[in-house]
Amino acid sequence: MPACAHDWPERDVDIVLRHELAHLARRDWLPQVVAELVRAVSWFNPIAWLAVHQLRAFSELACDDAVLRQ
């Protein structure tokens, strides 16, 4: 949580925490670590950069959807 989160309404803090917990429940860290390793090896390949960007974007959207379903 950012330092300014203590000024946020309780509902907003709850939403952010649910979003982050969704990342943990989905185990998003593992494919993202693998993707970063692939990108590091293929740093010269623009497709690798785009793929990592898309993976992160889809991960964020999936967690947003999980929060909205709750």
Side-chain angles (χ1 to χ4, degrees):
M1 299 294 288
C4 64
H6 69 276
D7 294 333
W8 294 358
E10 187 175 329
R11 182 173 184 265
D12 291 352
V13 172
D14 183 59
I15 290 170
V16 170
L17 289 176
R18 287 177 188 264
H19 174 93
E20 295 307 324
L21 288 172
H23 281 295
L24 293 174
R26 290 171 31 86
R27 296 182 181 94
D28 284 342
W29 64 272
L30 182 58
Q32 289 187 15
V33 167
V34 172
E36 289 295 342
L37 290 171
V38 170
R39 180 166 66 171
V41 171
S42 304
W43 63 268
F44 54 87
N45 187 344
I47 294 173
W49 288 80
L50 290 172
V52 170
H53 177 74
Q54 285 295 315
L55 176 68
R56 286 184 184 265
F58 286 140
S59 173
E60 292 300 321
L61 290 174
C63 290
D64 289 346
D65 288 345
V67 171
L68 290 173
R69 282 192 305 267
Q70 292 178 353

